[in-house]
Amino acid sequence: MPHCKYLIIGSSHAALEAVSAIRMQDTEGSLTMITRDSHLPYSPTVLPYVVSGRSKADNVALRDQSYFEQHAVEFVTNRSLSSIEPDCNTAVLDNGDRWQYEKLLLATGASPIIPPIPGLDKVKHLVLRTLEDAVALRDASQKAKKAIVLGAGLVGMHGAENLAEAGLEVTIIEMQTQVLPGYFDPQAAQMIQSAFDQHGINMKMGHKAVSISPQSSDQQNTGCRVELDSGETLDADLLLVSTGVRPIFDYCSGSHLQTDQGILVDNHMSTNQKNIWAAGDVAQAKDFYSDTKVTTGILPDAVEQGRIAGMAMSDDPSLKNYSGGVPINTYTFYGQQAISVGTSDSSSGPLNGEPTDKLEIELTVDSDKGYFQKIIFKDNRLQGISGINAALDPGIMWQLILRRIDLGAVKKEFVAQPLETGRRLMSGTWR
Amino acid sequence: MGIGYNTITFNQDKCDGCGDCMLACAQAKAGSDDIVHSRIQILTTDQPSGDPQASDSGAIELAMCRQCGDPKCVSNCPAAALTKNATTGTIDWHADKCVNCLLCTVGCAFGGITYNAEIGHVTKCDSCDGNPACVKVCPKGALEYNTSGSIYNRISDKDDLFVPGLSACQGCNSELLIRHTLRNVGTNVVVATPPGCIPGMGTVGYNGKTGTKVPVFHPLLTNTASMLAGIKKQYNRVGRDVTMLALAGDGGVGDVGFQSLSGAAERNEQQLFMCVDNEGYMNTGMQSSGSTPAGSWTSTTPVGKEMQGKRTDAKNMAKIMMMHNCEYVATASLAFMDDYYEKLDKAIAASKHGFAYLHVYAPCPTGWRFPAADTIEVCRKQVESNFVTLWDFTPEQGLRFTRSTDNPIKMAEYLKQIGKYRHLSEAQVEHLQRRVNDQVRSLKAFEQLTEVS
């Protein structure tokens, strides 16, 4: 039976960060990284750029083979986890291999949600989560003429922009009334949406696809017809499903691992089972704002969690508690930058239900220049800041939120110049 | 052993916010006079908040890439467009891989990698390939290109010639010093460690075992220099060129050890005599020595009704040795490693012809009463306040300061870190300040003699 000290399932940001953290403490302990993917590690976040052609599919690896050799990491591809037996420290793979571990990290990420729309399973549709998906979407976009994108989240918005740039006629269908919900408030979302409108993308907001069928005229069965709740029908020869992702933890059944929307972990990314940790998109960990546990699906959070898990697994004495998930998003569209750190909307999300007299909201908008900046304070502490074409250092804003720094004395300057004031505050804090 | 890197350092106290660095950076990196292109951003505030409690009290701050050892920007990059360069230590940005997602900026809490809207991608400091434009133009010396990292590379493959597990106190400056020193001196040496902390921490060993991987012996406090002189003469007679190194405390140098030291210096014996000056007999229970500054609490100069610490001033041993007209005399501090290494090399070379004397200031956490983690900071402020000064001397060159004594920090900044000065009255602080000013003035007079001749 193969055996290793550290067994890591997954090969993206959380897994890679855990390997770095482990190797800082323990340069020799046997370490195996197993991925269901067939490539060197890459980030799902880079995939829209593979679709657009900005990144080459063979040039996005986050580590090369020599990294694994240098750091004594055994890298196993094309294998997924099928079950765990925590009582005997054993992980069972899809080919029946039984791996004995001393410490196990589950960083299996997430996979696209396929919504239960009648007929969707009968038509060819694309998703965007793996490198194969990206290459397939890129190829399809070169042949197709009309595209429908289901969902106006990050993947959908990136996908729609890429498809439109490739010359397709694109429609986005989104159940909610705004794009990028959770990251931007309705007003900012509207500004982002209007850029899409201006570029000729058909935005069907607040609409549901109620049924999907193959296009009757199409013999090769690549096209589809989507019927909306309004009764309107739309035809397309490319259908991209981007209605969110769901953590992959089907292998947990029978393992007594506590799960909810993801695998539940404590502040050291430890699961309820001995010698098992989870990090990244699959983990459901402490929220920064509340006592609940959340799955965030945010790259910088995956990095944080992976680091903490690796430190915990290798008994790093400087291990600290996870400070809690904060929604963070940087989004570039049509050459414009949208940044959101922390909560962006007081009427939904973590601040929903806060007495409004406790919240202070500073809003600056110049629609002509496409400029938007919204700052939310509570008790003189930053809760969230979001901006479009506004200069911000998101890393500094994140720290101001996490450290709950009192901005009372500098609030006016901060609102007028968040970039300079934030930098000055953090530079002073570091000393 | 890891690898050390050169870095740009910012001395906030010296910066007047002139902005020349930003202009130089914008010109070097974008051929523009617009400081929006500068990758170093000096942050001044026009209207200090006036609230001393606020972290934003009008001080000049800095936003620039720190070239982190464990960079979050690199971890956050989904496109492998940022890498830590193992040779130079800078974090390199690769234009061909960057996808403009800005996730790197989420990882940076220093404002060190930022989106430049005018050119449409992120920019960061690349240290100008080891020749930073900003440092060259700084008129105040607020920016320095710190090359001490290369010292560690230079010595990393040399053997540490002391055993692990010497029993020095936590935070001991002397242990750091002797390990660095012997690493650089090498194995062709005989080491003498007269009574004091250095043999006390186990360098001469216990129970018949040695703590040093080269020949070492334990002379009396009184005869270190003369014993080394005798050994050197015997080696010269048999035709072997061996370095003679004394690692002595300030008592073994300036008090009871002085007569043999002065004699050896006068005869210009070929040896390197190092004084590790922790301002007292720390090994035996923190008694006062001739190097203990006025006002210091020690176990023999207590603080109470009759006495407020030591009543007399320290003697300046380095200056006294300079008056012997030795082959080489220098003072050093471990907060300034580049400077120390330069002087150590010169002292080793000088000891081949005659007497070389190195006086290293060695703050002692146990005896001086400060936290063990603050040793190097105390070293640094000791120099920055001019409490001690860094200079070297040869008979041909005369005295030369190796670090400017202009614009010292306030004496109180140095004293307040240290428990043995906690009781000082204003009059005592003033006395120390006068003493320091006198010392600087006197040494500057020697420097002027150097310039005239």
Side-chain angles (χ1 to χ4, degrees):
Chain A
M1 187 188 290
H3 168 271
C4 65
K5 185 167 181 186
Y6 306 100
L7 182 61
I8 294 177
I9 314 288
S11 65
S12 196
H13 290 282
L16 294 171
E17 197 66 16
V19 171
S20 309
I22 290 168
R23 280 294 179 243
M24 275 191 196
Q25 283 300 306
D26 181 353
T27 52
E28 286 164 7
S30 56
L31 197 163
T32 302
M33 180 184 257
I34 297 178
T35 175
R36 65 197 165 107
D37 220 285
S38 54
H39 304 277
L40 284 167
Y42 61 86
S43 172
T45 307
V46 82
L47 298 177
Y49 306 95
V50 174
V51 177
S52 72
R54 180 166 187 148
S55 299
K56 300 276 166 286
D58 57 1
N59 200 28
V60 294
L62 296 172
R63 300 287 187 275
D64 56 15
Q65 197 57 47
S66 68
Y67 171 88
F68 296 117
E69 279 148 28
Q70 252 170 42
H71 293 83
V73 176
E74 185 186 359
F75 182 56
V76 178
T77 53
N78 295 310
R79 283 282 159 264
S80 62
L81 183 60
S82 48
S83 64
I84 308 170
E85 296 163 16
D87 294 340
C88 52
N89 285 358
T90 303
V92 185
L93 304 188
D94 54 352
N95 64 345
D97 277 2
R98 296 170 61 83
W99 276 78
Q100 192 125 49
Y101 57 82
E102 288 172 40
K103 309 191 177 197
L104 172 67
L105 175 64
L106 304 170
T108 46
S111 60
I113 295 173
I114 306 298
I117 303 168
L120 180 54
D121 53 345
K122 305 278 189 316
V123 301
K124 184 175 161 60
H125 58 267
L126 297 167
V127 294
L128 184 55
R129 185 67 189 187
T130 66
L131 206 46
E132 283 77 12
D133 294 341
V135 172
L137 183 55
R138 180 167 170 72
D139 289 349
S141 72
Q142 285 159 357
K143 291 172 204 145
K145 300 255 175 332
K146 283 172 87 172
I148 290 178
V149 175
L150 291 184
L154 272 177
V155 173
M157 296 291 275
H158 269 300
E161 182 179 338
N162 290 336
L163 294 170
E165 291 299 286
L168 277 75
E169 193 187 319
V170 180
T171 303
I172 299 181
I173 301 168
E174 167 61 49
M175 261 166 39
Q176 304 209 41
T177 51
Q178 71 161 80
V179 301
L180 302 169
Y183 292 120
F184 295 97
D185 75 355
Q187 191 177 3
Q190 185 52 49
M191 292 176 72
I192 296 170
Q193 190 186 328
S194 67
F196 279 71
D197 289 335
Q198 280 163 24
H199 282 84
I201 292 179
N202 187 11
M203 308 291 284
K204 296 282 179 198
M205 306 304 295
H207 285 292
K208 259 167 125 165
V210 290
S211 75
I212 300 178
S213 53
Q215 262 180 46
S216 46
S217 61
D218 187 60
Q219 299 303 316
Q220 284 160 4
N221 200 25
T222 57
C224 65
R225 170 163 294 172
V226 177
E227 187 187 347
L228 299 186
D229 49 3
S230 59
E232 187 183 355
T233 59
L234 297 159
D235 286 348
D237 47 7
L238 190 161
L239 177 63
L240 175 63
V241 179
S242 50
T243 48
V245 294
R246 176 184 291 138
I248 303 172
F249 57 91
D250 48 347
Y251 50 78
C252 287
S253 64
S255 68
H256 303 292
L257 273 160
Q258 256 177 28
T259 60
D260 176 25
Q261 283 137 33
I263 300 172
L264 289 162
V265 292
D266 68 8
N267 286 339
H268 289 163
M269 301 299 129
S270 185
T271 67
N272 68 317
Q273 293 293 334
K274 238 177 105 182
N275 306 327
I276 305 181
W277 286 260
D281 288 2
V282 77
Q284 187 174 350
K286 181 182 142 48
D287 176 36
F288 175 75
Y289 297 95
S290 67
D291 294 331
T292 55
K293 289 188 175 178
V294 291
T295 54
T296 59
I298 290 168
L299 192 161
D301 250 341
V303 169
E304 280 303 305
Q305 295 181 0
R307 161 106 342 192
I308 289 170
M311 289 170 87
M313 291 167 77
S314 56
D315 298 318
D316 191 320
S318 47
L319 174 66
K320 289 192 180 84
N321 280 342
Y322 177 56
S323 41
V326 172
I328 298 177
N329 184 23
T330 58
Y331 172 55
T332 50
F333 58 101
Y334 293 111
Q336 305 188 58
Q337 292 75 46
I339 293 172
S340 163
V341 185
T343 179
S344 57
D345 197 348
S346 54
S347 59
S348 66
L351 293 181
N352 191 12
E354 279 292 334
T356 41
D357 56 330
K358 279 206 164 172
L359 297 178
E360 238 179 293
I361 298 173
E362 298 282 351
L363 185 66
T364 323
V365 182
D366 183 340
S367 308
D368 296 340
K369 290 186 178 145
Y371 176 93
F372 173 93
Q373 180 186 289
K374 180 178 183 179
I375 306 176
I376 304 179
F377 297 104
K378 188 175 116 190
D379 303 330
N380 291 333
R381 267 109 181 141
L382 186 64
Q383 300 297 305
I385 180 164
S386 47
I388 299 174
N389 299 318
L392 296 174
D393 293 309
I396 288 177
M397 298 302 142
W398 192 11
Q399 289 298 319
L400 292 177
I401 294 173
L402 286 181
R403 292 163 185 239
R404 298 186 166 91
I405 288 177
D406 187 342
L407 301 174
V410 294
K411 210 188 281 174
K412 234 167 86 186
E413 293 157 71
F414 185 79
V415 171
Q417 293 188 309
L419 179 85
E420 291 79 2
T421 314
R423 285 177 177 177
R424 205 156 49 230
L425 282 166
M426 279 319 291
S427 170
T429 306
W430 289 120
R431 247 179 305 103
Chain B
M1 204 162 164
I3 188 163
Y5 299 120
N6 299 337
T7 52
I8 297 169
T9 52
F10 176 58
N11 302 295
Q12 187 193 30
D13 302 338
K14 291 186 186 167
C15 179
D16 65 357
C18 72
D20 287 1
C21 52
M22 295 195 274
L23 188 61
C25 182
Q27 287 170 344
K29 293 296 158 196
S32 158
D33 286 347
D34 185 350
I35 59 163
V36 75
H37 295 295
S38 174
R39 296 156 187 203
I40 176 168
Q41 291 290 331
I42 300 292
L43 303 152
T44 53
T45 139
D46 301 333
Q47 296 148 319
S49 60
D51 176 4
Q53 293 301 308
S55 50
D56 193 37
S57 55
I60 292 173
E61 301 288 356
L62 169 82
M64 98 183 275
C65 176
R66 263 54 166 190
Q67 319 291 358
C68 296
D70 184 18
K72 281 245 177 79
C73 56
V74 174
S75 292
N76 277 0
C77 178
L82 289 163
T83 48
K84 173 91 179 167
N85 186 317
T87 313
T88 64
T90 54
I91 292 158
D92 297 334
W93 174 75
H94 310 286
D96 59 322
K97 288 193 169 184
C98 179
V99 296
N100 256 353
C101 69
L102 308 187
L103 280 165
C104 51
T105 66
V106 175
C108 183
F110 303 98
I113 182 160
T114 57
Y115 183 73
N116 182 334
E118 290 202 16
I119 53 175
H121 59 75
V122 292
T123 60
K124 65 176 294 300
C125 170
D126 59 5
S127 301
C128 295
D129 296 326
N131 189 16
C134 54
V135 174
K136 282 187 281 188
V137 299
C138 179
K140 298 283 174 186
L143 288 170
E144 290 175 75
Y145 193 56
N146 187 327
T147 54
S148 50
S150 9
I151 288 172
Y152 294 91
N153 300 341
R154 200 179 91 194
I155 62 159
S156 61
D157 39 4
K158 294 186 179 178
D159 283 336
D160 183 349
L161 296 174
F162 288 103
V163 296
L166 293 179
S167 60
C169 302
Q170 204 170 34
C172 179
N173 186 72
S174 308
E175 181 178 354
L176 186 67
L177 172 68
I178 63 175
R179 287 189 188 276
H180 270 285
T181 302
L182 210 49
R183 221 180 240 278
N184 218 41
V185 169
T187 51
N188 186 26
V189 67
V190 172
V191 180
T193 64
C197 291
I198 294 166
M201 68 174 82
T203 56
V204 290
Y206 302 109
N207 295 333
K209 299 256 166 59
T210 176
T212 310
K213 299 175 188 171
V214 295
V216 61
F217 71 102
H218 191 42
L220 299 177
L221 267 176
T222 48
N223 65 6
T224 309
S226 36
M227 281 187 77
L228 279 179
I231 295 167
K232 180 66 179 175
K233 281 190 194 308
Q234 173 60 15
Y235 274 119
N236 283 349
R237 183 172 297 151
V238 299
R240 280 186 62 188
D241 177 22
V242 178
T243 303
M244 296 296 127
L245 173 66
L247 299 172
D250 48 282
V253 170
D255 296 348
V256 67
F258 185 62
Q259 62 83 10
S260 69
L261 169 65
S262 178
E266 179 258 323
R267 298 190 304 275
N268 206 24
E269 301 287 357
Q270 295 160 299
Q271 57 185 263
L272 168 50
F273 205 102
M274 181 178 297
C275 174
V276 182
D277 182 3
N278 56 16
E279 301 182 352
Y281 293 91
M282 296 310 168
N283 181 49
T284 47
M286 296 162 258
Q287 295 87 354
S288 167
S289 80
S291 291
T292 308
S296 302
W297 168 89
T298 68
S299 59
T300 49
T301 58
V303 176
K305 232 184 275 172
E306 299 298 322
M307 200 175 183
Q308 290 294 309
K310 193 180 177 223
R311 289 175 175 137
T312 53
D313 284 312
K315 51 185 161 191
N316 187 331
M317 267 311 296
K319 198 160 102 187
I320 292 168
M321 294 313 291
M322 176 177 73
M323 302 314 287
H324 283 67
N325 217 33
C326 302
E327 204 75 22
Y328 187 70
V329 177
T331 62
S333 163
L334 287 199
F336 299 87
M337 270 293 184
D338 314 34
D339 181 69
Y340 173 65
Y341 265 85
E342 208 169 289
K343 287 168 175 171
L344 179 60
D345 285 346
K346 285 187 187 168
I348 294 167
S351 75
K352 303 288 172 196
H353 328 290
F355 200 85
Y357 177 80
L358 265 182
H359 193 102
V360 186
Y361 298 104
C364 165
T366 308
W368 298 18
R369 307 297 197 221
F370 61 80
D374 292 353
T375 304
I376 297 299
E377 205 41 47
V378 173
C379 286
R380 188 186 322 280
K381 294 228 166 73
Q382 194 182 21
V383 172
E384 286 177 345
S385 64
N386 281 352
F387 200 88
V388 300
T389 49
L390 300 183
W391 51 268
D392 69 0
F393 167 89
T394 67
E396 299 76 37
Q397 165 209 284
L399 183 145
R400 175 186 69 115
F401 282 102
T402 56
R403 188 181 184 284
S404 168
T405 53
D406 300 338
N407 308 317
I409 62 165
K410 288 201 184 83
M411 174 76 71
E413 287 291 301
Y414 169 60
L415 298 176
K416 77 174 183 197
Q417 311 176 92
I418 302 163
K420 71 170 175 172
Y421 297 123
R422 191 164 295 139
H423 60 280
L424 291 189
S425 66
E426 253 175 63
Q428 282 176 300
V429 174
E430 275 168 31
H431 171 85
L432 283 172
Q433 185 68 63
R434 265 199 310 280
R435 167 82 181 166
V436 161
N437 294 348
D438 289 348
Q439 289 292 336
V440 170
R441 197 162 48 239
S442 152
L443 290 168
K444 277 193 166 170
F446 281 105
E447 188 193 30
Q448 274 163 15
L449 284 178
T450 306
E451 283 161 5
V452 170
S453 59

